[in-house]
Amino acid sequence: MQNLKQQWFSNIRADILSGIVVALALIPEAIAFSIIAGVDPMVGLYTSFIIAVVISFAGGRPGMISAATGAMALLMVPLVKDYGLDYLLAATILTGIIQLIFGICKVAKVMKFVPNAVMIGFVNALAILIFTAQLEHFIGISTMTYVFVGITLILLYTLPRFIKVIPAPLIAIVALTSIAIFSGVNLKTVGDLGTITQTFPSFFIPDVPWSFETLQIILPYSLSMAIVGLLETLLTSQIVDDMTGTESNKNGEARGQGIANFITGFFGGMAGCAMIGQSVINVKSGGRGRLSTFIAGIFLMFLIIVLGDLVVQIPMPVLVGIMIMVSIGTFDWSSFKYLMKAPRTDALVMLATVVIVVYTHDLSKGVLAGVLLSAIFFVIKISTVKISNKGNRYSIHGQLFFASIDGFVNYFKKADIQSEKIQIDFSGSRIWDDSGVGAVLKVVELLKTKGIQVELIELDTSSKKIMDKLNGVLSSH
């Protein structure tokens, strides 16, 4: 009970103000992601409202913002194009069920397989994507657009020195929107992105045949969205953990994402996940607790229903300035030093992650490629086996598995052994798989044909176990 109170009410003023800032920044992004997915702008707005509110109760990472995202929107495009909105809603419900199952199965364990180099690449790629997504909203539009972006950035970086009670982005939005409205200056506004309907979302069951055929259609999309959504959420959760110096319940967050998406599908929303940009805005604006996420969702709906006519007049250059600040704050500038000092393989993994994410606009592809590349480099690194000998004892140094056995076997093929009996010492080695067992048996047989008797010594418990288990099987082949 005390922990719940801490998560909700330990930072009330800052959480409320940061939630308001996030809600204002969510609107253009939710509309933009709806357009990417090929659905009405209200679908993205309803998604952001419902997911933010539900995740504030069900999630495992207080202060993190979840809503409609670009990564998820990209996955929906073919489904919406071929089958329409109702199939997307059904896929969203199934996505929630899959994520809930993943959470129950403790999917967060996979985070330990994401190397630091991939995390740095992921963060930097997101920062670049956030920045490049703003370019179309201010490059080559008008001189006043550049002026407003510039003023916004100046306010964002100078105001916090003098005013700490109210988040700088909130002051910038209110002040510059007022100036734009009263001066009549010609700027692109939130309203130019799409029409906002001032109505609440309503409960309804997607109008699709509840059949095996429908399942076959939506399952591939739901599985993709579930995996990408959880991947982005878990990585964002780790970033928020690092920014706030606190721990989170990542399996709880996975379950919360599932519950949020399941409910969203019944209220006309599309699948969403954690948003790194909005989460960074929230944390930098002082948001720490569940209340900030709840306020972001509730105030978003308040803006749509009550202040819709004013919201559509918010100048896009102001929101662009805020997102540019987010991209600058998100980028890990120490990674340039990291490139110079880290092992070449780690630097290459980081760069590969950045390039693939930026090129494909798909976070999952970049992260999976980075993890795979790290695994390959690790295997190469540990696949070197060194052998030293003193008299009749040959000591193995290194791991024996599928990638390292050639060097081990070739050594004994070429070795000029004069003794009739030798010992192979495994105190500095370990046999990991059937390839390693096969290589040892091959060497034993090879030396036996030369009239040399082999004794295997200092095998650890694990190596003995796999040798005993596979000895008879492999020697019979």
Side-chain angles (χ1 to χ4, degrees), residues 135-404:
L135 298 179
E136 63 177 294
H137 297 300
F138 79 97
I139 294 293
I141 294 176
S142 68
T143 303
M144 285 308 295
T145 297
Y146 291 116
V147 170
F148 266 68
V149 170
I151 293 172
T152 301
L153 287 168
I154 290 168
L155 288 174
L156 294 175
Y157 285 107
T158 56
L159 283 176
R161 297 180 185 178
F162 310 104
I163 304 171
K164 299 189 186 297
V165 180
I166 304 170
L170 183 56
I171 298 173
I173 290 170
V174 173
L176 294 178
T177 300
S178 302
I179 291 170
I181 291 171
F182 290 115
S183 67
V185 64
N186 185 25
L187 293 169
K188 280 186 74 175
T189 64
V190 169
D192 294 326
L193 292 179
T195 306
I196 293 179
T197 310
Q198 291 171 287
T199 55
F200 283 105
S202 57
F203 177 87
F204 66 94
I205 296 171
D207 184 18
V208 297
W210 294 89
S211 63
F212 183 69
E213 187 182 346
T214 301
L215 181 64
Q216 284 181 305
I217 292 168
I218 65 173
L219 182 59
Y221 294 100
S222 295
L223 194 58
S224 297
M225 290 191 290
I227 293 169
V228 170
L230 286 182
L231 183 62
E232 187 166 350
T233 296
L234 293 175
L235 290 170
T236 304
S237 177
Q238 187 61 53
I239 291 164
V240 176
D241 286 357
D242 295 340
M243 287 180 72
T244 59
T246 56
E247 291 295 317
S248 60
N249 180 353
K250 292 180 177 59
N251 289 312
E253 182 62 36
R255 293 192 295 272
Q257 292 288 327
I259 294 166
N261 279 320
F262 179 78
I263 293 172
T264 300
F266 287 108
F267 284 89
M270 59 191 192
C273 64
M275 304 180 75
I276 187 170
Q278 304 302 334
S279 298
V280 170
I281 289 177
N282 192 42
V283 172
K284 285 187 176 293
S285 299
R288 292 293 184 275
R290 293 180 182 274
L291 186 62
S292 61
T293 311
F294 179 77
I295 292 295
I298 292 295
F299 195 73
L300 171 63
M301 211 63 223
F302 175 79
L303 289 171
I304 294 166
I305 301 298
V306 181
L307 303 178
D309 295 336
L310 282 174
V311 167
V312 294
Q313 296 182 67
I314 295 174
M316 279 305 297
V318 179
L319 296 173
V320 165
I322 292 170
M323 295 312 292
I324 289 174
M325 177 202 73
V326 168
S327 67
I328 293 169
T330 303
F331 194 89
D332 185 353
W333 296 98
S334 65
S335 56
F336 291 109
K337 193 185 290 182
Y338 176 87
L339 281 174
M340 303 300 292
K341 294 189 174 182
R344 286 184 182 179
T345 52
D346 289 345
L348 186 58
V349 166
M350 191 205 85
L351 287 173
T353 304
V354 172
V355 170
I356 292 169
V357 171
V358 172
Y359 179 73
T360 63
H361 284 235
D362 189 331
L363 298 167
S364 61
K365 285 178 183 169
V367 172
L368 290 173
V371 170
L372 185 61
L373 203 56
S374 291
I376 291 169
F377 286 142
F378 176 72
V379 168
I380 292 170
K381 195 180 291 183
I382 66 165
S383 62
T384 303
V385 173
K386 293 181 179 177
I387 303 171
S388 60
N389 78 293
K390 275 187 179 179
N392 295 337
R393 177 178 288 208
Y394 290 78
S395 299
I396 315 300
H397 306 280
Q399 310 303 314
L400 268 186
F401 65 112
F402 66 91
S404 64

Side-chain angles (χ1 to χ4, degrees), residues 62-143:
M64 188 166 74
I65 305 297
S66 294
T69 64
M72 299 290 266
L74 286 168
L75 297 172
M76 303 167 188
V77 176
L79 180 63
V80 175
K81 189 177 178 183
D82 295 339
Y83 298 98
L85 177 62
D86 281 293
Y87 277 83
L88 172 60
L89 302 182
T92 297
I93 293 166
L94 183 58
T95 298
I97 294 169
I98 294 169
Q99 288 181 325
L100 186 57
I101 293 168
F102 281 161
I104 292 168
C105 296
K106 302 190 183 302
V107 71
K109 289 177 184 175
V110 302
M111 279 299 293
K112 65 184 177 184
F113 296 109
V114 180
N116 186 51
V118 176
M119 280 294 293
I120 296 171
F122 168 80
V123 170
N124 288 345
L126 275 172
I128 293 167
L129 288 180
I130 291 169
F131 179 78
T132 55
Q134 310 313 311
L135 298 179
E136 63 177 294
H137 297 300
F138 79 97
I139 294 293
I141 294 176
S142 68
T143 303

